[in-house]
Amino acid sequence: MRQGGPRSLRWQLLVLAVPAAILGATLVGAVDDVGFAVERVDGAGWSAENIEVRLDLPADAPRASVSISRIRLTAQQQELRNVRIECPAVEISAATIACRNARIAANLPSLGAQTLIGRVVFGRQTGALDLELAGLRVGQGVAKVKAGMGSSGWNARLDMERIQLQPLLELARGLKLPLPALTVSGTASLSLTAAGSQTSLAEAHLDAELVELTANNEEGSLATDKLSLALRADVRQSRRDWLFRAEVQSSSGQAYAQPVFLDLGAHALNLSASGTWGSDGVLGIEHFSVDHRDVARGQGSAMLRLSDEQPLRALSLDLQSLEFPGAYESYFQPLLLDTNFKALQTAGNVSGQILVQEGTPRRIDLKFAAVTLDDGNRNLVLKDLTGDWHWLEAQSARSKAADDDEELEQSRAADSRLQWSGGTLLNLELGPSELQFNTQGRQLRLLRPARLPIFDGALELESFRIRNAGLSGVAFMVDATIQPISVRQLCQAFGWPEFGGRIGGKISKLRMREKVVTLGTTLQAQVFDGEVRISDLRLEQPLSQWPRFYSHIALHN
């Protein structure tokens, strides 16, 4: 049979050939077998070349064997070579030609030579093909496939049980799926159903369980160790975009995505998300929820443009709970490894809302509940921090401001209030305190005078302002009064030779500019029966491990 004739004619001749041969053999009674060859056959979503068919015609039921040099699957853009089908009993009806217990041998892409047992049904009029295959070997595991291809489209189901991940990854790459370059080990059990038309995928559903996944990339920025997780995902095409819904659960193993390290055995994770992946590369998460046991719980929405250097373009987060020490160990400690805060002892809870728009934080509202921080060196200790902190990005305030004074007032960040039961700063003992302040943009302003107990005295803040917070040009200005503090305790705190007396006085124009603290007035202290005058005070790198202190000190009597 030649390829040049119309496709419908080729089908009619092929479909008529088999029953005609069987009928002729039955009438004559002297024909034991029939063989014929077909150069090419095209079906709905598939084609086959160089087909040889042989029919054995016993009295009870015909048997058949078919060899095909090449089968092309349009949807998967794959080729199957050297296919041989042995059918112990051919079933022929007006609508179909079928084999219920076929034995199929083929050379499959990325999987090599395979021998399968299955069911094959061919539609005589429609050209549709239905397959059910079992015994597919993937590495040391076994899979089964069910697929249908017809004029209206195709559908498939793949079931795998404890398949080794490395050969599974090689199979996915053979299918030209966009996967990162990883070295992996572990096993996967999964059920995948998919449907589409021609070469396009319309929808898919995945249920998968990964066990003891150990993976890493060449850069070392992504790694897992004996990670086990369950994944459930649905995708559906909508015009040029993809709609998705996914759920991930994990309670064992470890994962690292630079710089964050997660110990999922200690802190189980449940994550769900739904949204759209656009053809423009924008990932729109309409809703997500996170339940990271003893670490964080929250929900919200987000938008990411993965091609950008800073991919997070929008975020609306309702932070129900950020729990310490779990949150510090999982999220913050990896970011602080090169600082003096790399080994903090933490406790407490934080909740609130965070808003990001156009890649820029716009609003933060947080509630602190008994948060404790301790660096272990008495440089920073804060006990039972409680209260509310509100921050509004300055540009947001300006854009919302109007001529009406009431609307201008509403554009301000809400006032904040924080209090703590005690702590230390640079080895100075701090007592219970409370601050009421306002933060907006990179500015902080004290709203009311505050008293900060230090040893047996206090620092009474009358005014306090910070500009350019978070920048190298950060600056502050303080006006305060020092209620007499024991000089002996100050000497002990700073490691100086000890002597008696008390220090107190007025602080005016205490400023920090370009990481240097200066004092615009002179401090006076009563020491023994004399007086100490401290002027031209300068403290360089005050927040570093080795701050440097300079001053002129005059001693009288």
Side-chain angles (χ1 to χ4, degrees), residues 139-160:
Q140 301 299 315
V142 178
K144 58 182 179 180
V145 179
K146 182 178 181 180
M149 291 169 280
S151 58
S152 60
W154 60 270
N155 62 82
R157 178 185 176 95
L158 172 65
D159 292 290
M160 294 183 172

Side-chain angles (χ1 to χ4, degrees), residues 102-175:
R103 183 179 180 88
I104 303 170
N107 197 323
L108 304 184
S110 304
L111 294 178
Q114 300 276 341
T115 300
L116 312 174
I117 303 297
R119 170 179 172 270
V120 181
V121 179
F122 173 68
R124 296 175 58 181
Q125 302 299 324
T126 63
L129 182 66
D130 290 322
L131 300 172
E132 291 185 19
L133 304 176
L136 179 65
R137 289 179 288 104
V138 182
Q140 301 299 315
V142 178
K144 58 182 179 180
V145 179
K146 182 178 181 180
M149 291 169 280
S151 58
S152 60
W154 60 270
N155 62 82
R157 178 185 176 95
L158 172 65
D159 292 290
M160 294 183 172
E161 188 69 27
R162 296 189 65 80
I163 301 293
Q164 296 295 317
L165 285 172
Q166 186 60 39
L168 187 60
L169 184 63
E170 294 173 358
L171 174 61
R173 288 171 179 159
L175 296 174

Side-chain angles (χ1 to χ4, degrees), residues 467-483:
R467 295 185 292 107
N468 301 324
L471 299 179
S472 58
V474 60
F476 66 72
M477 185 172 68
V478 180
D479 289 307
T481 299
I482 298 178
Q483 296 298 333

Side-chain angles (χ1 to χ4, degrees), residues 20 144 157 169 231 237 251 266 324 344 412 440 513 540:
K144 58 182 179 180
R157 178 185 176 95
L169 184 63
L231 169 64
Q237 192 171 33
S251 58
F324 294 89
L344 290 176
R412 293 177 62 250
Q440 192 159 292
R513 291 178 178 174
E540 296 181 359

Side-chain angles (χ1 to χ4, degrees), residues 262 264 266-271 288-299 317-332 348-351 354:
L262 302 180
L264 297 165
H267 304 289
L269 176 66
N270 292 334
L271 173 66
F288 70 85
S289 66
V290 178
D291 186 353
H292 196 179
R293 189 178 65 199
D294 298 330
V295 175
R297 289 185 296 109
Q299 60 182 352
L317 172 62
D318 178 12
L319 182 61
Q320 298 163 349
S321 176
L322 189 66
E323 301 178 44
F324 294 89
Y328 169 75
E329 296 168 351
S330 297
Y331 304 152
F332 301 113
N349 183 281
V350 178
S351 60
I354 297 176

